[in-house]
Amino acid sequence: MSDETLYVQVPATLANLGSGFDALGVALDLYLEVSASPAPSDQLHYSGQGHVPNTPHNLIHQGYRTAWQALGEANPPTLAIQAHNPIPLARGMGSSSAALVAGAALADLLSGHQLGKEGIFAVTAALEGHPDNVAPAVYGGFVAALADPPLALPLPSPKGLVFVLGVPPYEVPTPLARSALPKTIPLVDAVYNLARSALWPAALYSGRLEALREAARDRLHQPYRAHLMPGLEATLEQVYAAGALAAFVGGAGPTLAALAEIHHTEAIRGAMQGYVGQGSTLVLGLGEGLRWKAVSVPSR
């Protein structure tokens, strides 16, 4: 007889990319790592960024149970989960989406891959309510995605570029950031963003990376959330002056992301210092998507 140990790795992500609100995202090479094995009851053993209570009421188990429900199983096998998470919590780097995807991937492993990546994406996009973090978490690189119907298409990932990330010390919870948005927007602003979100795939496919600066401009969410992130608008201009190709708020914020060639890294980090304060800066490459496997462990 043998037991299986399940291993899952899910990348951090940045959503929106400025103009692509709830539609565009990208994976980063910073990974949530999860291992799990059968247990008499659901357990979580968490380490890494922030504090997550070691109880069964966590996002990994939530994604796990929801995925089983999608497969028609109301009483899934119970798991003891070990999670190491280097992704900052509530900073706009997709920590919640990574946890949900990890849980759904565990269900996929135990079910004999009845979901596959497409099913994992569909389940977690419905659970999140928007697909722009979970799509790159599943597929990696730059992705354009819809939640309804569930559809995610990869975009080209240029070589030799990195993301410089300014991570302030405070959180901006997604519900707070969502509540800052207006119920209606002017037609001119909707057209502004539609045109610029279309520039992202055009620039990536054509290699016209100088167009990304315009592609990242936004009128739908960043201006309405700027009061939650002091110094944001001035810092956006400063990182462009330091050589960024594109700059935008990661997800709901407050992380500020700048896509750049490697030789501009230090100048951009310097331009972010006033915004970051007692927080930190990171330099990360583009990430790969979900990786998952099951290993049989002989019973003693």
Side-chain angles (χ1 to χ4, degrees):
M1 296 180 64
S2 66
D3 292 325
E4 282 191 322
T5 298
L6 313 175
Y7 296 94
V8 176
Q9 191 178 64
V10 187
T13 54
L14 300 169
N16 302 326
L17 311 187
S19 60
F21 183 62
D22 281 2
L24 299 176
V26 65
L28 303 171
D29 64 348
L30 183 69
Y31 297 90
L32 167 67
E33 297 181 347
V34 171
S35 62
S37 55
S41 62
D42 284 331
Q43 304 166 32
L44 176 69
H45 304 281
Y46 179 89
S47 64
Q49 289 286 316
H51 173 70
V52 175
N54 288 325
T55 73
H57 307 294
N58 61 80
L59 292 176
I60 300 175
H61 274 104
Q62 184 179 340
Y64 175 74
R65 288 188 286 264
T66 302
W68 275 112
Q69 290 168 7
L71 293 170
E73 177 57 67
N75 297 296
T78 50
L79 290 181
I81 293 175
Q82 301 271 351
H84 179 70
N85 175 41
I87 306 170
L89 301 182
R91 298 297 199 281
M93 293 178 63
S95 59
S96 298
S97 295
L100 294 174
V101 168
L106 293 174
D108 182 62
L109 281 167
L110 281 179
S111 71
H113 294 294
Q114 291 186 49
L115 288 169
K117 283 192 172 183
E118 291 77 11
I120 292 170
F121 165 67
V123 166
T124 52
L127 195 54
E128 276 268 88
H130 44 89
D132 44 344
N133 280 117
V134 297
V138 172
Y139 296 106
F142 286 96
V143 184
L146 304 175
D148 185 19
L151 178 64
L153 297 177
L155 300 173
S157 296
K159 304 296 183 184
L161 300 182
V162 295
F163 277 99
V164 184
L165 306 170
V167 187
Y170 56 86
E171 298 181 357
V172 175
T174 299
L176 176 63
R178 290 266 165 182
S179 69
L181 301 180
K183 299 299 183 185
T184 61
I185 57 167
L187 177 62
V188 65
D189 290 346
V191 172
Y192 181 96
N193 269 59
L194 283 170
R196 281 153 185 80
S197 64
L199 273 182
W200 269 102
L204 293 175
Y205 272 105
S206 68
R208 293 282 304 275
L209 301 185
E210 73 278 5
L212 293 178
R213 177 170 183 162
E214 197 62 39
R217 296 194 187 278
D218 164 71
R219 290 183 182 175
L220 295 190
H221 62 103
Q222 289 181 175
Y224 298 106
R225 293 168 167 172
H227 68 283
L228 301 173
M229 297 167 262
L232 170 65
E233 292 170 325
T235 308
L236 280 169
E237 296 309 314
Q238 290 164 9
V239 298
Y240 277 125
L245 291 165
F248 51 85
V249 174
T255 293
L256 177 59
L259 181 65
E261 297 171 315
I262 293 173
H263 61 275
H264 290 301
T265 297
E266 290 309 311
I268 293 171
R269 291 180 83 161
M272 288 182 172
Q273 282 305 316
Y275 178 73
V276 168
Q278 297 300 308
S280 61
T281 57
L282 301 171
V283 179
L284 299 172
L286 271 64
E288 298 182 7
L290 165 68
R291 301 171 184 166
W292 69 131
K293 65 180 179 178
V295 177
S296 294
V297 179
S299 299
R300 294 186 177 181

